[in-house]
Amino acid sequence: MSPLDISLADLIARLDEELPDTDELARISEARLRAQTLSDLGDQLIDHYVSKAKQVGASWTEIGDAIGVSKQAAQQRHAPGPFERYTNLNRHSIVLAQEAARTHKHDSIGTEHLLLGLLGEPRGLAYEVLVAKTESEQRVRDAIAEALPPAGKKALRGHIAFRPESKEAIGQARRAAADLGHDWVGTEHALLGLIRVEESPAAQILHDLGFTSDELHETVRTEITNRLAARGE
């Protein structure tokens, strides 16, 4: 097996470099947040290859053996969920949203965290659309920062729940993909999902930045059509 291109020394050096003026206790808290993010990414890595194995006909017994758990445990862990058709980039944006909530010591994931997650994935179409419209990533970040709730007193351990409006936005993202006839849910669909939840903080941020639901839908439709056409050339 080839080693990962990141080591413990790399993680320590980066944390120390980014937090040069903090004490060791603060670095413990930050290290725990980053460990949780790495764990979330690891789970998504496994989920990706479980999906691939199912596509080529592997049984749940075989998948369980590969993971090191029972057939039943494998089925329960990898049962179809709200992110089943999410692209890898979009799944990563969800991890970034979770990390944002932990970093700000919030006890739930709001639509503003989801929007921040999309902005943290520059390879996604949502990022391109956001920056093209506003002409500045920082402008979007500043707008999100103004909408974020005050930081909490203590970061949560383990799972952080989605707020009801975030769950609705995730459902709207799937509907947006279906409306456009797409069999995947990308960051662009997640962006559409956010603006469709009209009363949410993310929708208000997007409106304040000059976005409308209809215009955003048309922008995404056009961009996807152009990209698919380019691949067919």
Side-chain angles (χ1 to χ4, degrees):
M1 175 181 175
S2 300
L4 296 174
D5 59 359
I6 187 170
S7 67
L8 176 60
D10 294 330
L11 295 171
I12 293 172
R14 181 170 176 178
L15 195 154
D16 288 345
E17 179 182 351
E18 293 179 2
L19 303 175
D21 301 322
T22 57
D23 60 26
E24 298 307 321
L25 292 177
R27 295 186 187 190
I28 289 174
S29 296
E30 180 62 23
R32 184 178 62 78
L33 294 175
R34 298 189 184 196
Q36 184 62 56
T37 298
L38 290 171
S39 177
D40 291 339
L41 287 172
D43 287 342
Q44 290 193 24
L45 178 65
I46 296 172
D47 288 345
H48 172 78
Y49 286 105
V50 167
S51 296
K52 292 287 187 181
K54 290 300 295 179
Q55 289 173 11
V56 298
S59 68
W60 281 114
T61 298
E62 292 170 322
I63 291 172
D65 288 343
I67 297 174
V69 299
S70 68
K71 168 186 173 181
Q72 291 76 15
Q75 285 178 304
Q76 291 173 0
R77 173 177 172 174
H78 299 282
F83 308 119
E84 181 185 10
R85 293 189 293 116
Y86 269 44
T87 63
N88 289 338
L89 294 183
N90 206 8
R91 288 172 183 264
H92 185 225
S93 80
I94 296 295
V95 172
L96 294 177
Q98 294 169 337
E99 183 178 17
R102 286 196 181 92
T103 299
H104 290 88
K105 299 179 181 179
H106 295 154
D107 59 5
S108 58
I109 300 169
T111 57
E112 63 274 29
H113 300 112
L114 294 176
L115 185 57
L116 198 56
L118 293 175
L119 196 63
E121 183 42 87
R123 297 170 296 172
L125 179 53
Y127 176 91
E128 294 183 22
V129 170
L130 286 167
V131 174
K133 175 75 171 180
T134 63
E135 300 182 344
S136 169
E137 175 185 331
Q138 192 59 48
R139 184 184 172 199
V140 184
R141 288 193 178 278
D142 290 344
I144 298 172
E146 290 181 5
L148 285 172
K153 295 182 178 180
K154 185 177 181 180
L156 293 183
R157 294 178 179 271
H159 177 70
I160 300 180
F162 290 96
R163 292 182 203 153
E165 64 267 26
S166 297
K167 293 180 180 179
E168 183 180 352
I170 289 168
Q172 289 290 349
R174 296 195 299 271
R175 295 186 188 97
D179 290 346
L180 290 164
H182 300 156
D183 60 1
W184 73 93
V185 183
T187 62
E188 63 277 14
H189 304 114
L191 188 59
L192 286 171
L194 289 174
I195 203 170
R196 288 183 174 190
V197 185
E198 287 289 340
E199 302 302 318
S200 71
Q204 186 58 58
I205 292 168
L206 292 170
H207 288 312
D208 289 346
L209 290 171
F211 289 94
T212 67
S213 184
D214 289 343
E215 177 195 22
L216 187 56
H217 183 277
E218 184 60 24
T219 297
V220 168
R221 187 193 66 78
T222 300
E223 285 295 326
I224 293 295
T225 298
N226 291 342
R227 291 185 179 202
L228 293 176
R231 290 177 186 174
E233 291 180 355

